[in-house]
Amino acid sequence: MNIFKAACKILLNNKMYFLMYVVFLGAIGVFVATGNTQGATSDEFVQNRADVAVIDRDGGTLASGVTEAMASNATMVEVADTERSLQDAVAQGMVDCLIIVPEGYGEAFVEAVRAGDEPPCVQTVASFDNMAGFEVENQLQMYLSCVAARTALSGEETAQEALSEAATAALDDMAEQTTASYAIEEGKASPLPDDFLLYNRWSVYPIVCAIGVLVTVTLAGFNRTDVRRRNLSAPVSGLSLSLGLSLASVVCMLITWVWFAGLGLVAFGGSLEGTDTWRVALCLVDLFAYALFALAFGFLLAQLGASVAVANSAANIVGLVLSFLGGAWIDIRLMGQTLETVGHFTPSYWHGQALVSIAQADGATWDALAPAIADMGIVFLFAAALFAVALVVGRVRLGNAGTKERASSDKSTPKEASVA
């Protein structure tokens, strides 16, 4: 009990880390989740119109059709056809996508389509900091594909006549819209809100930082040479020492988990209204499983003998990487197959997968919840594996320390004998 009280005093003496990693980062998590999902539940769809500039160097029907097709879903911007102006338009963010139709493009397009070859490409430059430019490129390729299909079906008209008819027909094809509707069945709870899900995904970063640093600071106070020697000489068993430190670490983890769980329930209580209680409870269990992993991570840092500065750096780096691979910043599936494969070897990925499984579950049945339980089980396994690694590391370091002490004592013995 005295070991536990001493460890708790160390925790209380490090209030700055609680304020910085638990309180402050928790508030930032609420801000991030609220800011990135505001308006997501609106009943009215508002299209984000990109800024597009079309440089027509051909002057033909197809170039005019490209301009008209882009203008239907984008805001057209006038840009001078000079090298400096084109560079500034993209570099300064004046346009999201720059389209250049080269001279003679229309005739080359018809010849290639009638010959069965791949149509020539239109030069495009999309802004690197906005996804809207890439959406414009997709829309352009869709229009050119429609024109190519119409041109291939044309008869013996001249190239200009065939291209004029194809360009007009392609605009009509692009203008066709499909009306969709949905209905919410009465008596059914709504799925988990996006802001609550994003908050739980983003919380993996501050949880790793808070628990990892606090546990390391607490155990580091007992790993100092003078303190360790005093504990070894005191009438305290190794089991009592380990239990006291473990209990203090668990208390630290529980305080952090309760804070983030309670903050999420309070901040997003309005969004959670109408949601099944079991869904919210499973989300909190999933967050608890990840908190156990953070506890094992902090224990590993302490067993490695990490200093406070090293623990802060390692916790922030690992927390940011895990939050990224867990989909807190962007859907990992959009970053390529390689990163998604790497994410499978991180607990944050399975933490996020569990949240998705909970949100998509049809009901509180074993068959519906089996995927979520399996994902949470993987997170628990990550925590157990990391804890086992920490125990091995601690055992190895303890053996090396004992070897060094015996070696130093052996070296000092001959000196004492010679003096005698």
Side-chain angles (χ1 to χ4, degrees):
M1 184 58 68
N2 291 331
I3 297 296
F4 172 71
K5 290 181 179 179
C8 290
K9 287 182 180 179
I10 295 178
L11 285 175
L12 293 177
N13 291 334
N14 290 276
K15 300 183 182 67
M16 179 186 66
Y17 294 117
F18 271 107
L19 294 175
M20 182 170 57
Y21 289 126
V22 180
V23 179
F24 180 68
L25 287 184
I28 290 181
V30 174
F31 175 77
V32 169
T34 304
N36 281 274
T37 57
Q38 59 181 357
T41 58
S42 175
D43 295 333
E44 182 181 358
F45 173 75
V46 179
Q47 183 181 9
N48 182 20
R49 298 178 66 88
D51 296 326
V52 180
V54 178
I55 307 301
D56 184 4
R57 296 176 180 174
D58 182 42
T61 305
L62 184 56
S64 301
V66 168
T67 303
E68 188 174 352
M70 298 300 100
S72 61
N73 294 309
T75 302
M76 305 307 296
V77 179
E78 294 290 336
V79 177
D81 189 8
T82 62
E83 184 177 357
R84 180 62 180 272
S85 299
L86 297 180
Q87 292 176 353
D88 291 344
V90 178
Q92 297 178 6
M94 297 171 55
V95 296
D96 296 316
C97 186
L98 181 65
I99 301 175
I100 301 177
V101 182
E103 184 178 357
Y105 179 77
E107 295 181 1
F109 185 89
V110 175
E111 292 177 0
V113 171
R114 287 183 171 179
D117 299 331
E118 189 72 19
C121 297
V122 174
Q123 183 179 358
T124 60
V125 180
S127 177
F128 62 89
D129 60 348
N130 196 332
M131 293 297 295
F134 298 100
E135 295 175 1
V136 172
E137 290 181 332
N138 293 332
Q139 183 182 358
L140 173 63
Q141 293 303 322
M142 186 184 301
Y143 172 74
L144 294 178
S145 298
C146 292
V147 175
R150 292 283 185 175
T151 303
L153 296 175
S154 62
E156 298 297 330
E157 298 95 338
T158 63
Q160 291 297 331
E161 292 177 350
L163 194 59
S164 178
E165 294 178 0
T168 303
L171 288 175
D172 295 336
D173 295 338
M174 295 283 290
E176 293 184 4
Q177 297 181 355
T178 301
T179 303
S181 60
Y182 65 93
I184 300 178
E185 186 177 354
E186 294 293 336
K188 295 292 183 179
S190 60
L192 288 170
D194 292 337
D195 50 5
F196 184 70
L197 288 175
L198 180 57
Y199 171 78
N200 278 271
R201 284 180 180 271
W202 194 88
S203 295
V204 301
Y205 166 56
I207 284 179
V208 167
C209 291
I211 300 178
V213 172
L214 289 170
V215 170
T216 303
V217 170
T218 303
L219 299 184
F222 287 85
N223 286 336
R224 291 192 310 228
T225 303
D226 54 342
V227 176
R228 186 170 63 251
R229 288 176 177 175
R230 186 165 60 249
N231 288 332
L232 291 175
S233 61
V236 178
S237 64
L239 179 60
S240 299
L241 178 63
S242 300
L243 288 177
L245 295 178
S246 300
L247 185 58
S249 300
V250 171
V251 168
C252 172
M253 183 271 293
L254 289 176
I255 292 175
T256 305
W257 172 71
V258 169
W259 174 269
F260 280 96
L263 185 62
L265 294 177
V266 173
F268 305 105
S271 301
L272 292 171
E273 185 177 355
T275 304
D276 283 319
T277 305
W278 58 266
R279 294 185 191 270
V280 180
L282 284 177
C283 289
L284 300 184
V285 173
D286 186 29
L287 196 64
F288 179 80
Y290 194 84
L292 287 178
F293 168 79
L295 176 61
F297 173 71
F299 184 64
L300 176 62
L301 290 178
Q303 293 295 83
L304 289 171
S307 63
V308 176
V310 172
N312 276 279
S313 301
N316 278 277
I317 294 173
V318 172
L320 284 173
V321 172
L322 290 179
S323 64
F324 174 77
L325 294 176
W329 307 99
I330 186 173
D331 193 340
I332 192 66
R333 293 173 298 179
L334 301 177
M335 302 302 293
Q337 183 64 35
T338 302
L339 278 180
E340 186 174 2
T341 303
V342 173
H344 282 74
F345 297 93
T346 61
S348 57
Y349 175 85
W350 297 105
H351 166 72
Q353 290 298 111
L355 293 174
V356 174
S357 300
I358 294 170
Q360 295 177 350
D362 295 332
T365 62
W366 172 255
D367 292 337
L369 296 179
I373 295 175
D375 294 335
M376 286 188 285
I378 294 176
V379 179
F380 279 112
L381 289 178
F382 269 103
L386 193 61
F387 183 75
V389 172
L391 289 177
V392 173
V393 170
R395 186 66 178 176
V396 172
R397 290 186 71 246
L398 182 61
N400 293 337
T403 303
K404 291 180 180 179
E405 290 182 0
R406 287 193 299 269
S408 62
S409 63
D410 292 341
K411 291 180 180 179
S412 63
T413 301
K415 294 182 181 180
E416 295 177 357
S418 62
V419 173

mmCIF file of all heavy atoms in Angstrom, residues 254-292:
data_model
loop_
_atom_site.group_PDB
_atom_site.id
_atom_site.type_symbol
_atom_site.label_atom_id
_atom_site.label_comp_id
_atom_site.label_asym_id
_atom_site.label_seq_id
_atom_site.Cartn_x
_atom_site.Cartn_y
_atom_site.Cartn_z
ATOM 1 N N LEU A 254 -7.219 4.140 -16.041
ATOM 2 C CA LEU A 254 -8.658 4.288 -15.828
ATOM 3 C C LEU A 254 -9.081 5.753 -15.806
ATOM 4 O O LEU A 254 -10.121 6.116 -16.356
ATOM 5 C CB LEU A 254 -9.062 3.607 -14.518
ATOM 6 C CG LEU A 254 -9.018 2.074 -14.511
ATOM 7 C CD1 LEU A 254 -9.346 1.539 -13.123
ATOM 8 C CD2 LEU A 254 -9.991 1.501 -15.537
ATOM 9 N N ILE A 255 -8.271 6.592 -15.170
ATOM 10 C CA ILE A 255 -8.604 8.025 -15.144
ATOM 11 C C ILE A 255 -8.629 8.588 -16.556
ATOM 12 O O ILE A 255 -9.549 9.336 -16.932
ATOM 13 C CB ILE A 255 -7.585 8.786 -14.268
ATOM 14 C CG1 ILE A 255 -7.741 8.384 -12.803
ATOM 15 C CG2 ILE A 255 -7.755 10.288 -14.428
ATOM 16 C CD1 ILE A 255 -6.701 8.993 -11.888
ATOM 17 N N THR A 256 -7.637 8.232 -17.361
ATOM 18 C CA THR A 256 -7.581 8.722 -18.740
ATOM 19 C C THR A 256 -8.763 8.212 -19.553
ATOM 20 O O THR A 256 -9.405 8.967 -20.288
ATOM 21 C CB THR A 256 -6.264 8.283 -19.400
ATOM 22 O OG1 THR A 256 -5.166 8.721 -18.610
ATOM 23 C CG2 THR A 256 -6.142 8.866 -20.794
ATOM 24 N N TRP A 257 -9.068 6.913 -19.412
ATOM 25 C CA TRP A 257 -10.185 6.342 -20.176
ATOM 26 C C TRP A 257 -11.513 6.962 -19.759
ATOM 27 O O TRP A 257 -12.342 7.300 -20.623
ATOM 28 C CB TRP A 257 -10.213 4.832 -19.967
ATOM 29 C CG TRP A 257 -11.428 4.175 -20.558
ATOM 30 C CD1 TRP A 257 -11.713 3.998 -21.879
ATOM 31 C CD2 TRP A 257 -12.541 3.632 -19.828
ATOM 32 N NE1 TRP A 257 -12.923 3.365 -22.027
ATOM 33 C CE2 TRP A 257 -13.456 3.121 -20.788
ATOM 34 C CE3 TRP A 257 -12.834 3.501 -18.476
ATOM 35 C CZ2 TRP A 257 -14.641 2.516 -20.415
ATOM 36 C CZ3 TRP A 257 -14.018 2.887 -18.111
ATOM 37 C CH2 TRP A 257 -14.913 2.408 -19.066
ATOM 38 N N VAL A 258 -11.739 7.112 -18.463
ATOM 39 C CA VAL A 258 -12.994 7.698 -17.987
ATOM 40 C C VAL A 258 -13.140 9.132 -18.491
ATOM 41 O O VAL A 258 -14.230 9.554 -18.887
ATOM 42 C CB VAL A 258 -13.061 7.651 -16.448
ATOM 43 C CG1 VAL A 258 -14.217 8.478 -15.927
ATOM 44 C CG2 VAL A 258 -13.213 6.210 -15.964
ATOM 45 N N TRP A 259 -12.038 9.873 -18.517
ATOM 46 C CA TRP A 259 -12.113 11.267 -18.975
ATOM 47 C C TRP A 259 -12.523 11.335 -20.444
ATOM 48 O O TRP A 259 -13.442 12.070 -20.810
ATOM 49 C CB TRP A 259 -10.785 11.969 -18.755
ATOM 50 C CG TRP A 259 -10.759 13.351 -19.348
ATOM 51 C CD1 TRP A 259 -10.350 13.717 -20.597
ATOM 52 C CD2 TRP A 259 -11.221 14.550 -18.730
ATOM 53 N NE1 TRP A 259 -10.502 15.052 -20.798
ATOM 54 C CE2 TRP A 259 -11.045 15.598 -19.666
ATOM 55 C CE3 TRP A 259 -11.756 14.846 -17.465
ATOM 56 C CZ2 TRP A 259 -11.376 16.910 -19.370
ATOM 57 C CZ3 TRP A 259 -12.105 16.160 -17.192
ATOM 58 C CH2 TRP A 259 -11.905 17.171 -18.133
ATOM 59 N N PHE A 260 -11.832 10.570 -21.304
ATOM 60 C CA PHE A 260 -12.139 10.630 -22.735
ATOM 61 C C PHE A 260 -13.515 10.049 -23.026
ATOM 62 O O PHE A 260 -14.232 10.570 -23.896
ATOM 63 C CB PHE A 260 -11.061 9.893 -23.527
ATOM 64 C CG PHE A 260 -9.816 10.688 -23.736
ATOM 65 C CD1 PHE A 260 -8.726 10.539 -22.896
ATOM 66 C CD2 PHE A 260 -9.735 11.622 -24.765
ATOM 67 C CE1 PHE A 260 -7.576 11.283 -23.077
ATOM 68 C CE2 PHE A 260 -8.595 12.368 -24.957
ATOM 69 C CZ PHE A 260 -7.501 12.206 -24.112
ATOM 70 N N ALA A 261 -13.898 8.997 -22.334
ATOM 71 C CA ALA A 261 -15.224 8.431 -22.545
ATOM 72 C C ALA A 261 -16.313 9.405 -22.097
ATOM 73 O O ALA A 261 -17.289 9.646 -22.820
ATOM 74 C CB ALA A 261 -15.359 7.105 -21.793
ATOM 75 N N GLY A 262 -16.139 9.983 -20.913
ATOM 76 C CA GLY A 262 -17.130 10.943 -20.415
ATOM 77 C C GLY A 262 -17.193 12.197 -21.255
ATOM 78 O O GLY A 262 -18.282 12.735 -21.508
ATOM 79 N N LEU A 263 -16.022 12.678 -21.711
ATOM 80 C CA LEU A 263 -16.012 13.873 -22.544
ATOM 81 C C LEU A 263 -16.747 13.642 -23.848
ATOM 82 O O LEU A 263 -17.492 14.511 -24.328
ATOM 83 C CB LEU A 263 -14.563 14.286 -22.825
ATOM 84 C CG LEU A 263 -14.354 15.595 -23.598
ATOM 85 C CD1 LEU A 263 -14.919 16.775 -22.819
ATOM 86 C CD2 LEU A 263 -12.869 15.807 -23.881
ATOM 87 N N GLY A 264 -16.577 12.447 -24.431
ATOM 88 C CA GLY A 264 -17.294 12.139 -25.666
ATOM 89 C C GLY A 264 -18.792 12.058 -25.467
ATOM 90 O O GLY A 264 -19.570 12.539 -26.297
ATOM 91 N N LEU A 265 -19.219 11.473 -24.346
ATOM 92 C CA LEU A 265 -20.656 11.373 -24.081
ATOM 93 C C LEU A 265 -21.280 12.730 -23.837
ATOM 94 O O LEU A 265 -22.405 12.996 -24.275
ATOM 95 C CB LEU A 265 -20.890 10.463 -22.864
ATOM 96 C CG LEU A 265 -20.508 8.987 -23.036
ATOM 97 C CD1 LEU A 265 -20.725 8.237 -21.737
ATOM 98 C CD2 LEU A 265 -21.326 8.351 -24.158
ATOM 99 N N VAL A 266 -20.545 13.607 -23.146
ATOM 100 C CA VAL A 266 -21.082 14.939 -22.864
ATOM 101 C C VAL A 266 -21.084 15.818 -24.117
ATOM 102 O O VAL A 266 -22.076 16.495 -24.426
ATOM 103 C CB VAL A 266 -20.279 15.603 -21.729
ATOM 104 C CG1 VAL A 266 -20.706 17.050 -21.546
ATOM 105 C CG2 VAL A 266 -20.455 14.830 -20.429
ATOM 106 N N ALA A 267 -19.969 15.807 -24.832
ATOM 107 C CA ALA A 267 -19.843 16.699 -25.989
ATOM 108 C C ALA A 267 -20.772 16.311 -27.134
ATOM 109 O O ALA A 267 -21.277 17.180 -27.858
ATOM 110 C CB ALA A 267 -18.392 16.716 -26.471
ATOM 111 N N PHE A 268 -21.000 15.009 -27.311
ATOM 112 C CA PHE A 268 -21.808 14.551 -28.439
ATOM 113 C C PHE A 268 -23.101 13.892 -27.977
ATOM 114 O O PHE A 268 -23.642 13.025 -28.670
ATOM 115 C CB PHE A 268 -20.986 13.565 -29.280
ATOM 116 C CG PHE A 268 -19.676 14.115 -29.733
ATOM 117 C CD1 PHE A 268 -18.492 13.712 -29.124
ATOM 118 C CD2 PHE A 268 -19.602 15.070 -30.731
ATOM 119 C CE1 PHE A 268 -17.275 14.225 -29.523
ATOM 120 C CE2 PHE A 268 -18.401 15.586 -31.145
ATOM 121 C CZ PHE A 268 -17.228 15.176 -30.530
ATOM 122 N N GLY A 269 -23.570 14.309 -26.801
ATOM 123 C CA GLY A 269 -24.818 13.766 -26.285
ATOM 124 C C GLY A 269 -25.995 14.050 -27.198
ATOM 125 O O GLY A 269 -26.884 13.200 -27.373
ATOM 126 N N GLY A 270 -26.011 15.236 -27.808
ATOM 127 C CA GLY A 270 -27.099 15.557 -28.727
ATOM 128 C C GLY A 270 -27.097 14.689 -29.961
ATOM 129 O O GLY A 270 -28.146 14.241 -30.442
ATOM 130 N N SER A 271 -25.906 14.434 -30.501
ATOM 131 C CA SER A 271 -25.806 13.585 -31.684
ATOM 132 C C SER A 271 -26.166 12.139 -31.366
ATOM 133 O O SER A 271 -26.682 11.416 -32.227
ATOM 134 C CB SER A 271 -24.385 13.647 -32.258
ATOM 135 O OG SER A 271 -24.029 14.964 -32.605
ATOM 136 N N LEU A 272 -25.893 11.708 -30.140
ATOM 137 C CA LEU A 272 -26.156 10.321 -29.752
ATOM 138 C C LEU A 272 -27.615 10.066 -29.387
ATOM 139 O O LEU A 272 -27.988 8.933 -29.121
ATOM 140 C CB LEU A 272 -25.269 9.936 -28.561
ATOM 141 C CG LEU A 272 -23.768 9.835 -28.845
ATOM 142 C CD1 LEU A 272 -22.994 9.659 -27.558
ATOM 143 C CD2 LEU A 272 -23.491 8.680 -29.798
ATOM 144 N N GLU A 273 -28.416 11.104 -29.365
ATOM 145 C CA GLU A 273 -29.823 10.927 -29.008
ATOM 146 C C GLU A 273 -30.514 10.034 -30.036
ATOM 147 O O GLU A 273 -30.448 10.273 -31.244
ATOM 148 C CB GLU A 273 -30.520 12.283 -28.949
ATOM 149 C CG GLU A 273 -31.952 12.205 -28.458
ATOM 150 C CD GLU A 273 -32.590 13.573 -28.339
ATOM 151 O OE1 GLU A 273 -31.871 14.578 -28.548
ATOM 152 O OE2 GLU A 273 -33.794 13.645 -28.038
ATOM 153 N N GLY A 274 -31.153 8.991 -29.575
ATOM 154 C CA GLY A 274 -31.816 8.041 -30.463
ATOM 155 C C GLY A 274 -30.952 6.854 -30.844
ATOM 156 O O GLY A 274 -31.434 5.928 -31.491
ATOM 157 N N THR A 275 -29.690 6.880 -30.461
ATOM 158 C CA THR A 275 -28.795 5.765 -30.767
ATOM 159 C C THR A 275 -28.936 4.678 -29.713
ATOM 160 O O THR A 275 -29.114 4.976 -28.530
ATOM 161 C CB THR A 275 -27.335 6.251 -30.817
ATOM 162 O OG1 THR A 275 -27.230 7.315 -31.767
ATOM 163 C CG2 THR A 275 -26.397 5.130 -31.227
ATOM 164 N N ASP A 276 -28.845 3.438 -30.135
ATOM 165 C CA ASP A 276 -28.953 2.325 -29.193
ATOM 166 C C ASP A 276 -27.876 2.425 -28.126
ATOM 167 O O ASP A 276 -26.709 2.727 -28.415
ATOM 168 C CB ASP A 276 -28.799 0.986 -29.928
ATOM 169 C CG ASP A 276 -30.058 0.613 -30.685
ATOM 170 O OD1 ASP A 276 -31.147 0.826 -30.141
ATOM 171 O OD2 ASP A 276 -29.941 0.119 -31.819
ATOM 172 N N THR A 277 -28.266 2.153 -26.890
ATOM 173 C CA THR A 277 -27.320 2.228 -25.780
ATOM 174 C C THR A 277 -26.191 1.214 -25.934
ATOM 175 O O THR A 277 -25.038 1.502 -25.605
ATOM 176 C CB THR A 277 -28.049 1.992 -24.444
ATOM 177 O OG1 THR A 277 -29.131 2.931 -24.327
ATOM 178 C CG2 THR A 277 -27.111 2.152 -23.271
ATOM 179 N N TRP A 278 -26.509 0.031 -26.459
ATOM 180 C CA TRP A 278 -25.478 -1.000 -26.589
ATOM 181 C C TRP A 278 -24.401 -0.599 -27.589
ATOM 182 O O TRP A 278 -23.240 -1.010 -27.472
ATOM 183 C CB TRP A 278 -26.100 -2.344 -26.964
ATOM 184 C CG TRP A 278 -26.893 -2.353 -28.241
ATOM 185 C CD1 TRP A 278 -28.228 -2.165 -28.387
ATOM 186 C CD2 TRP A 278 -26.375 -2.574 -29.559
ATOM 187 N NE1 TRP A 278 -28.596 -2.244 -29.699
ATOM 188 C CE2 TRP A 278 -27.474 -2.504 -30.450
ATOM 189 C CE3 TRP A 278 -25.109 -2.832 -30.068
ATOM 190 C CZ2 TRP A 278 -27.325 -2.674 -31.830
ATOM 191 C CZ3 TRP A 278 -24.953 -3.000 -31.438
ATOM 192 C CH2 TRP A 278 -26.057 -2.922 -32.295
ATOM 193 N N ARG A 279 -24.771 0.201 -28.580
ATOM 194 C CA ARG A 279 -23.755 0.677 -29.534
ATOM 195 C C ARG A 279 -22.754 1.586 -28.835
ATOM 196 O O ARG A 279 -21.531 1.464 -29.022
ATOM 197 C CB ARG A 279 -24.418 1.418 -30.693
ATOM 198 C CG ARG A 279 -25.285 0.570 -31.597
ATOM 199 C CD ARG A 279 -25.791 1.398 -32.771
ATOM 200 N NE ARG A 279 -26.826 0.721 -33.514
ATOM 201 C CZ ARG A 279 -26.608 -0.087 -34.549
ATOM 202 N NH1 ARG A 279 -25.370 -0.300 -34.959
ATOM 203 N NH2 ARG A 279 -27.606 -0.661 -35.177
ATOM 204 N N VAL A 280 -23.277 2.522 -28.057
ATOM 205 C CA VAL A 280 -22.395 3.451 -27.345
ATOM 206 C C VAL A 280 -21.533 2.708 -26.339
ATOM 207 O O VAL A 280 -20.335 2.980 -26.196
ATOM 208 C CB VAL A 280 -23.234 4.546 -26.653
ATOM 209 C CG1 VAL A 280 -22.330 5.526 -25.918
ATOM 210 C CG2 VAL A 280 -24.103 5.281 -27.670
ATOM 211 N N ALA A 281 -22.141 1.737 -25.643
ATOM 212 C CA ALA A 281 -21.386 0.973 -24.646
ATOM 213 C C ALA A 281 -20.252 0.189 -25.293
ATOM 214 O O ALA A 281 -19.135 0.127 -24.763
ATOM 215 C CB ALA A 281 -22.331 0.033 -23.899
ATOM 216 N N LEU A 282 -20.499 -0.394 -26.458
ATOM 217 C CA LEU A 282 -19.450 -1.148 -27.143
ATOM 218 C C LEU A 282 -18.334 -0.220 -27.625
ATOM 219 O O LEU A 282 -17.156 -0.615 -27.645
ATOM 220 C CB LEU A 282 -20.041 -1.915 -28.324
ATOM 221 C CG LEU A 282 -20.830 -3.180 -27.975
ATOM 222 C CD1 LEU A 282 -21.418 -3.804 -29.233
ATOM 223 C CD2 LEU A 282 -19.926 -4.189 -27.273
ATOM 224 N N CYS A 283 -18.692 0.988 -28.018
ATOM 225 C CA CYS A 283 -17.651 1.957 -28.398
ATOM 226 C C CYS A 283 -16.741 2.272 -27.218
ATOM 227 O O CYS A 283 -15.515 2.412 -27.375
ATOM 228 C CB CYS A 283 -18.291 3.237 -28.928
ATOM 229 S SG CYS A 283 -19.076 3.076 -30.552
ATOM 230 N N LEU A 284 -17.328 2.395 -26.031
ATOM 231 C CA LEU A 284 -16.523 2.663 -24.835
ATOM 232 C C LEU A 284 -15.651 1.461 -24.483
ATOM 233 O O LEU A 284 -14.518 1.622 -24.027
ATOM 234 C CB LEU A 284 -17.441 3.021 -23.668
ATOM 235 C CG LEU A 284 -18.337 4.257 -23.863
ATOM 236 C CD1 LEU A 284 -19.120 4.550 -22.591
ATOM 237 C CD2 LEU A 284 -17.518 5.465 -24.272
ATOM 238 N N VAL A 285 -16.177 0.247 -24.699
ATOM 239 C CA VAL A 285 -15.360 -0.951 -24.466
ATOM 240 C C VAL A 285 -14.196 -0.998 -25.447
ATOM 241 O O VAL A 285 -13.066 -1.355 -25.087
ATOM 242 C CB VAL A 285 -16.225 -2.218 -24.588
ATOM 243 C CG1 VAL A 285 -15.361 -3.474 -24.516
ATOM 244 C CG2 VAL A 285 -17.281 -2.245 -23.495
ATOM 245 N N ASP A 286 -14.464 -0.629 -26.683
ATOM 246 C CA ASP A 286 -13.400 -0.584 -27.691
ATOM 247 C C ASP A 286 -12.327 0.429 -27.294
ATOM 248 O O ASP A 286 -11.120 0.170 -27.438
ATOM 249 C CB ASP A 286 -14.013 -0.214 -29.047
ATOM 250 C CG ASP A 286 -12.998 -0.288 -30.170
ATOM 251 O OD1 ASP A 286 -12.054 -1.090 -30.077
ATOM 252 O OD2 ASP A 286 -13.147 0.471 -31.141
ATOM 253 N N LEU A 287 -12.756 1.579 -26.776
ATOM 254 C CA LEU A 287 -11.797 2.579 -26.315
ATOM 255 C C LEU A 287 -11.016 2.077 -25.107
ATOM 256 O O LEU A 287 -9.827 2.377 -24.948
ATOM 257 C CB LEU A 287 -12.542 3.875 -25.959
ATOM 258 C CG LEU A 287 -11.696 5.144 -25.826
ATOM 259 C CD1 LEU A 287 -11.061 5.498 -27.164
ATOM 260 C CD2 LEU A 287 -12.548 6.308 -25.337
ATOM 261 N N PHE A 288 -11.667 1.293 -24.252
ATOM 262 C CA PHE A 288 -10.988 0.706 -23.100
ATOM 263 C C PHE A 288 -9.910 -0.281 -23.546
ATOM 264 O O PHE A 288 -8.817 -0.337 -22.957
ATOM 265 C CB PHE A 288 -12.011 0.005 -22.205
ATOM 266 C CG PHE A 288 -11.415 -0.648 -20.991
ATOM 267 C CD1 PHE A 288 -11.095 0.090 -19.869
ATOM 268 C CD2 PHE A 288 -11.168 -2.022 -20.975
ATOM 269 C CE1 PHE A 288 -10.539 -0.506 -18.745
ATOM 270 C CE2 PHE A 288 -10.617 -2.636 -19.863
ATOM 271 C CZ PHE A 288 -10.304 -1.870 -18.745
ATOM 272 N N ALA A 289 -10.219 -1.069 -24.576
ATOM 273 C CA ALA A 289 -9.216 -2.013 -25.091
ATOM 274 C C ALA A 289 -7.994 -1.275 -25.611
ATOM 275 O O ALA A 289 -6.853 -1.704 -25.383
ATOM 276 C CB ALA A 289 -9.837 -2.866 -26.198
ATOM 277 N N TYR A 290 -8.228 -0.163 -26.272
ATOM 278 C CA TYR A 290 -7.076 0.601 -26.773
ATOM 279 C C TYR A 290 -6.319 1.258 -25.623
ATOM 280 O O TYR A 290 -5.091 1.421 -25.699
ATOM 281 C CB TYR A 290 -7.540 1.662 -27.768
ATOM 282 C CG TYR A 290 -6.392 2.241 -28.552
ATOM 283 C CD1 TYR A 290 -5.919 1.589 -29.685
ATOM 284 C CD2 TYR A 290 -5.758 3.409 -28.146
ATOM 285 C CE1 TYR A 290 -4.845 2.103 -30.393
ATOM 286 C CE2 TYR A 290 -4.686 3.920 -28.851
ATOM 287 C CZ TYR A 290 -4.237 3.258 -29.978
ATOM 288 O OH TYR A 290 -3.170 3.753 -30.667
ATOM 289 N N ALA A 291 -7.009 1.654 -24.563
ATOM 290 C CA ALA A 291 -6.327 2.218 -23.399
ATOM 291 C C ALA A 291 -5.411 1.179 -22.755
ATOM 292 O O ALA A 291 -4.332 1.521 -22.247
ATOM 293 C CB ALA A 291 -7.348 2.733 -22.389
ATOM 294 N N LEU A 292 -5.817 -0.098 -22.780
ATOM 295 C CA LEU A 292 -4.944 -1.163 -22.279
ATOM 296 C C LEU A 292 -3.682 -1.283 -23.118
ATOM 297 O O LEU A 292 -2.586 -1.525 -22.592
ATOM 298 C CB LEU A 292 -5.694 -2.498 -22.262
ATOM 299 C CG LEU A 292 -6.759 -2.673 -21.180
ATOM 300 C CD1 LEU A 292 -7.443 -4.027 -21.341
ATOM 301 C CD2 LEU A 292 -6.153 -2.548 -19.790
#
